[in-house]
């Protein structure tokens, strides 16, 4: 199989490369820093800055590969902050976490006949936390995109939207707040692989955290707001 994984240099993406690297699959591994991915059989390192939308469009338009699985995993999260996000930081978050995915798929989807497109969203998409406004908003946009794309490309191309909770990676190592239900990388990627293998349309985990968030979203907005303001102080 031809497999494309973004954010392949570290964390969840790097572990996904390991899981799919069976000596037969050909893995296109995208990140800015691909040093650790060089010189390996079957892995094609692709050094690309996903914030550079025009380069992303051009690279994938010109790449003559029919992918079987595409995993849009790369994302950034600014440090949590109670201040209003500067526009440049907000735009960069949207470019990397959201717009680069469409820029990439524009060149990729037309060459796919069958296969899977996996989007890595987040449980953070289900709550608009004031301290991580661009991240939550970019992932919420991705949820809507996933629903549209799934129905646009059905039945030949399966679209799988995955909403993980906290997983121990560089992204969460910089957080200085309590992260409920924090999972280790292996357990988190086990769940992601399960969702991919079983063609889940949408898969949120861990379930206990997901149901707590669902309950939170059933509360009256006045109570939700009080809680959100309290935890983000
Ligand atoms: N960890 C969690 O708790 C958690 C929870 C929910 C969802 N997620 C989602 O899971 C995915 C992976 O997260 P992670 O925790 O593994 O993050 P991570 O450890 O910070 O790794 C991020 C990956 O994205 C790449 N990347 C970042 N900016 C890029 C850019 N401009 N161009 C190209 N590549 C770029 C990084 O590579 P370079 O720096 O080399 O470019 C790296 O390989 C993300 O979509 C994240 O939102 C994570």
């Amino acid at each position: 199989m031809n497999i494309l994984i973004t954010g392949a240099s570290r964390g969840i993406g790097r572990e996904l490369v390991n899981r799919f690297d069976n000596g037969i699959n050909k893995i296109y591994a995208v990140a800015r820093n691909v040093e650790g991915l060089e010189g390996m059989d079957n892995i094609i390192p692709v050094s690309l800055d996903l914030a550079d939308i025009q380069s992303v469009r051009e690279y994938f338009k010109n790449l003559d590969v029919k992918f079987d699985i595409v995993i849009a995993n790369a994302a950034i999260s600014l440090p949590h902050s109670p201040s209003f996000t500067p526009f440049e930081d907000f735009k960069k978050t949207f470019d990397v976490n959201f717009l680069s995915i469409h820029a990439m798929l524009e060149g990729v989807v037309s060459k796919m006949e069958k296969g899977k497109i996996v989007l890595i969203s987040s449980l953070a998409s289900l709550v608009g936390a004031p301290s991580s406004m661009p991240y939550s908003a970019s992932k919420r946009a991705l949820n809507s995109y996933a629903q549209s794309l799934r129905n646009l490309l059905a039945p030949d191309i399966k679209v799988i939207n995955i909403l993980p909770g906290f997983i121990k990676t560089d992204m969460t190592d910089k957080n200085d707040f309590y992260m409920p239900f924090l999972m280790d990388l292996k357990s988190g990627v086990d769940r992601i692989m399960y969702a991919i293998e079983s063609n889940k349309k949408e898969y949120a985990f861990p379930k206990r955290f997901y149901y707590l968030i669902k309950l939170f979203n059933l509360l009256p907005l006045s109570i939700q707001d009080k809680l959100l303001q309290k935890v983000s102080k």
Side-chain angles (χ1 to χ4, degrees), residues 6-14 30-34 48-52 72-77 92 96-97 120-124 135 139 162-172 174 179 182 185 192:
T6 68
S9 59
R10 296 181 276 121
I12 292 169
R14 186 69 184 82
V30 178
R32 285 166 303 182
N33 175 8
V34 292
L48 203 55
D49 183 352
L50 295 172
D52 181 353
N73 163 76
I76 51 170
S77 171
K92 187 171 179 198
V96 175
N97 295 10
I120 306 291
S121 180
S122 170
L123 287 185
Y135 183 77
K139 295 294 189 179
I162 303 181
L163 289 72
F166 293 114
I167 298 171
K168 198 171 165 14
T169 65
D170 291 352
M171 189 178 274
T172 43
K174 64 182 191 217
M179 291 175 276
L182 177 67
L185 183 59
I192 291 173

Side-chain angles (χ1 to χ4, degrees), residues 119-121 142-143 146 159-163 200-203:
L119 304 171
I120 306 291
S121 180
L142 194 57
N143 293 350
V159 175
I160 297 166
N161 189 30
I162 303 181
L163 289 72
K200 296 281 183 198
K201 292 177 197 293
E202 190 169 276
Y203 185 71

Side-chain angles (χ1 to χ4, degrees), residues 68-88:
D68 301 285
I69 302 180
V70 176
I71 307 179
N73 163 76
I76 51 170
S77 171
L78 303 169
H80 284 240
S81 156
S83 39
F84 198 79
T85 311
F87 177 78
E88 292 75 14

Side-chain angles (χ1 to χ4, degrees), residues 3 5 14-27 37 40-43 193:
I3 300 172
I5 302 175
R14 186 69 184 82
E15 181 62 18
L16 285 168
V17 170
N18 293 344
R19 302 289 179 104
F20 282 104
D21 185 15
N22 60 1
I24 301 165
N25 291 330
K26 216 174 192 189
I27 304 173
L37 295 158
M40 296 162 85
D41 288 345
N42 304 316
I43 296 180
M193 290 300 291

